[in-house]
Amino acid sequence: GENVEQHPSTLSVQEGDSAVIKCTYSDSASNYFPWYKQELGKGPQLIIDIRSNVGEKKDQRIAVTLNKTAKHFSLHITETQPEDSAVYFCAASMRDNFNKFYFGSGTKLNVKP
Amino acid sequence: ETGVTQTPRHLVMGMTNKKSLKCEQHLGHNAMYWYKQSAKKPLELMFVYNFKEQTENNSVPSRFSPECPNSSHLFLHLHTLQPEDSALYLCASSQEGVQPQHFGDGTRLSIL
């Protein structure tokens, strides 16, 4: 089955700096890659997603890039703010089993004011 | 408001108790999921229901018993749990096709 690895496990940045979180996947059949943000005491919330027919997608300060050849995708947050502090999860799913999301182990992002 | 509501938010139970977790989605989705979230581990998929039919059971012990009476409601019945079952249990829903899953805020379960 699919294996998703996520790095780093913790990331500390100064307010206003950029943060990058990287994920790799193993199965070339994966074609949908969502990113979730989980704040303390809450469930994961979808923040951005990308499909395999697109190389990059942007939504204000958040962007995701996908390299299908290398089988990796990354989350980029620019101009970080303290409210960006949370745990971020990447996931991958494939065309043949769209119900099954394979999640990374999470990155705890701390934005220092 | 996430559109997926889970109750209770917290539950403490002994190993011999029987309890149920409830999930309700208000998004008109036709697939629902149970996940287990333990510290420093990836989210573990437990069960998947499509149009009320169970399509995935990820080798979950029989002490966890899901029930999906309709496409808006999902239950997880618990009995004779073990201390290692203490975790955050998350419910999610999605529309058919390759679509994002929307999560509830979870039930924090502690087994004494």
Side-chain angles (χ1 to χ4, degrees):
Chain A
E2 173 67 281
N3 180 44
V4 176
E5 295 195 357
Q6 184 172 345
H7 300 281
S9 56
T10 57
L11 179 59
S12 198
V13 300
Q14 207 65 40
E15 182 178 358
D17 288 351
S18 295
V20 181
I21 302 170
K22 298 181 179 181
C23 287
T24 60
Y25 61 99
S26 59
D27 196 325
S28 55
S30 289
N31 63 344
Y32 175 66
F33 307 92
W35 283 90
Y36 287 85
K37 174 184 180 183
Q38 187 173 23
E39 295 174 323
L40 203 59
K42 302 274 190 179
Q45 299 296 310
L46 179 75
I47 54 172
I48 197 167
D49 56 8
I50 192 167
R51 296 174 193 271
S52 59
N53 58 346
V54 175
E56 183 174 359
K57 185 176 177 181
K58 212 171 178 182
D59 182 3
Q60 298 182 1
R61 296 186 296 108
I62 293 172
V64 57
T65 58
L66 171 65
N67 183 327
K68 284 189 297 183
T69 306
K71 295 205 278 289
H72 66 71
F73 56 113
S74 300
L75 177 71
H76 304 253
I77 306 174
T78 58
E79 299 171 30
T80 53
Q81 299 164 7
E83 51 265 38
D84 294 329
S85 297
V87 179
Y88 292 81
F89 292 94
C90 63
S93 77
M94 57 189 73
R95 184 179 302 114
D96 294 333
N97 195 349
F98 61 86
N99 281 157
K100 200 155 185 175
F101 279 22
Y102 297 85
F103 282 88
S105 51
T107 296
K108 186 173 183 181
L109 174 64
N110 179 34
V111 181
K112 293 179 283 188
Chain B
E1 180 61 49
T2 66
V4 179
T5 304
Q6 289 188 244
T7 54
R9 292 296 316 276
H10 302 272
L11 180 61
V12 180
M13 56 188 284
M15 289 193 282
T16 58
N17 292 155
K18 288 185 182 181
K19 296 283 184 185
S20 296
L21 311 185
K22 181 183 175 183
C23 176
E24 183 175 1
Q25 58 98 358
H26 314 276
L27 301 169
H29 291 163
N30 49 30
M32 296 187 77
Y33 314 77
W34 280 116
Y35 285 88
K36 178 183 179 183
Q37 187 175 35
S38 305
K40 303 192 177 178
K41 281 186 168 184
L43 283 157
E44 298 173 54
L45 180 65
M46 299 174 72
F47 302 104
V48 181
Y49 279 82
N50 277 319
F51 296 97
K52 304 187 301 175
E53 299 296 320
Q54 189 181 126
T55 57
E56 185 96 19
N57 176 340
N58 217 20
S59 303
V60 181
S62 59
R63 58 185 184 267
F64 294 92
S65 174
E67 179 190 0
C68 189
N70 55 62
S71 55
S72 299
H73 293 85
L74 185 65
F75 295 90
L76 188 62
H77 304 299
L78 317 171
H79 65 97
T80 326
L81 294 195
Q82 305 298 309
E84 61 265 27
D85 297 323
S86 297
L88 182 68
Y89 288 84
L90 290 162
C91 173
S93 70
S94 73
Q95 193 52 284
E96 61 180 317
V98 183
Q99 299 294 337
Q101 294 178 13
H102 297 259
F103 285 84
D105 288 334
T107 295
R108 173 69 62 187
L109 177 65
S110 299
I111 307 300
L112 301 178

